[in-house]
Amino acid sequence: MYTSQELGNSGTADMLDSSHTSGSRRPVTTALRAGIARVLPSEPLVRNGHLLAISSLINAGVGSLFWLLAAHWYDDEAVGLGYSALSASLLLANVGQLNLNDFLIRFLPCSGRRTRRLVLTCYSVSASWSAVVAVAFLALVPVLAPGLDFLRDPTVGICFVAATAAYTIFVLQDGALTALSRPGWVIAENSVFASAKILLLAGGAALALQSGILLSWAGALLISLVVANYLLMQRAVPHHERENPQIERPPRLLSYAAADYVGSLFRMAAYTLVPLLVLNTLGAAQSAYFSLAWIIGYVLFLVVRNMGSSLVVEAVRRPEQLVEHGLRVLRHSGWLLAGGVVVIVAGAPWILTLFGAGYAEHGTTLLRLLALSALPNLVLSVAVDVLRARRRLRLLVGLQVALCVLVLGLTRFLLPVLGVTGAGVAWLAAECLIAAPLLIWRSRWLVTTSRRTS
């Protein structure tokens, strides 16, 4: 059996040494491991959260580079259509994956010999449902998005549906690797996806392919799926099943998945509908100012989400340490966020000036408010993850419903009064209104759960 320290470090070690090396190569990999060990915290809870955050930052950075290169290598029409089609596919995949990513993070650590079956079941269910959602979207394209009518071509439509279903598996494999303490592999497979995407984009531009943007994304996705799932199914899953053969199947998995999915839909609505409210109320230009500020500010939200995923995995493995781990994440992430907030609040005008004077003029206060809202969001996010570990489904859903209602309601009320800044005020106010009672009555949700319940 691995010790807790070895489990926390195994993802990084396996990323660096995914196959048995010869004696001559061992000193190299040993030196690399030692170097990374000195940089990253040794505690599995924090270490894994940092690795997942690094993966998200890689995705965000390379994603920005991908579109920057696409804008230089392809004409405006190809970029516009490619961005719109991929945005639609990602949205549909997020809806269609049924929040089974978080489900796997919660239940794979305690799935024992049923680990492979649970992963494959989630793959098949989410991919099938995403395909259905994508087909329904194509049928409604003339009404919802007439500019994407080219997707209704039979060949393009089949590829669109297949890519949407495949992306759900891409999301779920990250959840599975996280749950099995392989965050280093998450970095590796996302790096493979990012690198392949850029190389294929350049190849499409060299061949003057009008659909090069879509093809590069789909091709990189396929490569990443093959690599990641080979490692997942051939190494991570067998190891977990060998090390945890006697774990009993947790009860009421279906009811948990359904409730968690409902809650996630409300949280997703809060994230995705505000830009539409800004667009409908203030127009396209103000929507652009909000969208860019949200993209920058959301990086802080991602840090918390990744630390939360690590918290859930450790809480399932060691439920008796739930309170200790929850407080650890609150303190550690609080210091990280405080530093990020200071940087963004102080540098907001200069950061936005890089994208144009209009963004700095209209979005500076908005960006500062969104950055500040990441601090109370830390409390909400930790509460949601603790409730996932404890299976407190009613409160879990209730918090996410409250966030959605408060954010959308306040945004709708404040936009005509304060302009685009009203959206930032709405986010900060909503997060504070939820975080304050959670902090005051912390002992009611941040309590240790029994191993049997977990």
Side-chain angles (χ1 to χ4, degrees):
M1 293 288 289
Y2 277 11
T3 64
S4 61
Q5 182 70 35
E6 289 169 333
L7 284 170
N9 294 345
S10 60
T12 305
D14 286 330
M15 176 187 72
L16 297 174
D17 189 12
S18 60
S19 63
H20 295 293
T21 55
S22 64
S24 61
R25 292 177 59 190
R26 288 187 184 278
V28 177
T29 58
T30 301
L32 288 174
R33 291 179 186 179
I36 292 179
R38 285 193 294 269
V39 174
L40 293 173
S42 59
E43 181 184 358
L45 172 68
V46 178
R47 182 188 191 88
N48 293 345
H50 281 202
L51 288 171
L52 293 172
I54 290 171
S55 177
S56 294
L57 292 175
I58 289 174
N59 273 339
V62 178
S64 300
L65 178 61
F66 176 85
W67 289 109
L68 179 64
L69 294 176
H72 284 83
W73 293 343
Y74 293 82
D75 60 50
D76 293 344
E77 181 180 359
V79 173
L81 291 177
Y83 182 83
S84 299
L86 290 181
S87 297
S89 179
L90 297 184
L91 176 60
L92 295 171
N94 285 329
V95 173
Q97 61 109 348
L98 300 171
N99 205 43
L100 292 179
N101 175 53
D102 288 327
F103 177 85
L104 288 175
I105 291 173
R106 171 59 181 81
F107 287 108
L108 272 194
C110 56
S111 57
R113 292 188 181 277
R114 297 177 177 84
T115 300
R116 183 184 301 272
R117 184 189 308 173
L118 186 58
V119 172
L120 294 177
T121 299
C122 290
Y123 277 7
S124 60
V125 170
S126 62
S128 299
W129 180 238
S130 294
V132 171
V133 172
V135 169
F137 173 78
L138 291 179
L140 296 174
V141 158
V143 177
L144 298 176
L148 296 178
D149 193 60
F150 74 97
L151 293 175
R152 290 166 60 85
D153 176 85
T155 302
V156 177
I158 291 173
C159 293
F160 178 82
V161 172
T164 301
Y167 191 76
T168 64
I169 298 177
F170 180 82
V171 174
L172 294 187
Q173 72 189 16
D174 280 4
L177 291 170
T178 299
L180 299 180
S181 296
R182 297 298 192 276
W185 287 3
V186 177
I187 295 180
E189 58 102 354
N190 278 295
S191 298
V192 168
F193 177 60
S195 302
K197 193 164 54 174
I198 298 294
L199 292 174
L200 292 174
L201 182 72
L207 296 174
L209 296 178
Q210 188 70 7
S211 57
I213 294 175
L214 297 176
L215 291 176
S216 64
W217 190 86
L221 180 61
L222 177 61
I223 294 171
S224 177
L225 288 177
V226 171
V227 172
N229 281 285
Y230 173 79
L231 294 173
L232 176 64
M233 295 302 179
Q234 296 301 316
R235 298 196 60 188
V237 169
H239 176 268
H240 183 72
E241 291 181 337
R242 287 193 306 269
E243 297 296 319
N244 304 275
Q246 304 300 327
I247 297 179
E248 297 180 2
R249 179 181 183 273
R252 303 187 305 278
L253 294 183
L254 185 59
S255 61
Y256 177 96
D260 196 32
Y261 178 55
V262 170
S264 72
L265 287 178
F266 281 97
R267 201 169 186 180
M268 188 189 306
Y271 290 156
T272 58
L273 295 183
V274 172
L276 295 180
L277 287 177
V278 176
L279 176 64
N280 293 334
T281 305
L282 303 177
Q286 297 297 318
S287 179
Y289 301 144
F290 173 83
S291 297
L292 183 60
W294 174 253
I295 289 172
I296 298 171
Y298 187 65
V299 172
L300 299 178
F301 286 64
L302 281 177
V303 171
V304 175
R305 177 173 176 79
N306 289 314
M307 291 299 298
S309 296
S310 182
L311 170 63
V312 172
V313 173
E314 294 300 318
V316 173
R317 293 184 183 278
R318 301 166 187 83
E320 68 280 1
Q321 296 181 352
L322 178 59
V323 174
E324 177 186 346
H325 286 330
L327 293 174
R328 177 79 169 107
V329 169
L330 283 172
R331 288 193 297 266
H332 183 78
S333 299
W335 283 110
L336 288 178
L337 287 181
V341 169
V342 168
V343 170
I344 291 180
V345 169
W350 292 276
I351 295 172
L352 293 173
T353 298
L354 298 175
F355 301 90
Y359 290 95
E361 179 182 355
H362 298 280
T364 294
T365 302
L366 170 63
L367 177 56
R368 287 169 171 165
L369 291 169
L370 292 175
L372 289 170
S373 68
L375 292 172
N377 178 70
L378 167 63
V379 180
L380 170 60
S381 294
V382 170
V384 166
D385 290 319
V386 168
L387 294 171
R388 281 198 176 106
R390 297 184 60 208
R391 301 184 66 163
R392 293 280 304 279
L393 300 178
R394 291 183 180 178
L395 186 53
L396 170 67
V397 174
L399 287 176
Q400 295 176 98
V401 171
L403 177 69
C404 179
V405 171
L406 286 172
V407 167
L408 297 183
L410 289 172
T411 299
R412 187 176 181 85
F413 174 76
L414 292 174
L415 284 178
V417 180
L418 300 176
V420 72
T421 302
V425 174
W427 264 106
L428 181 58
E431 296 282 6
C432 289
L433 287 172
I434 296 175
L438 286 174
L439 283 175
I440 294 172
W441 292 289
R442 187 181 65 211
S443 60
R444 297 190 178 184
W445 54 271
L446 189 55
V447 296
T448 301
T449 185
S450 68
R451 182 170 294 277
R452 180 178 178 83
T453 301
S454 178

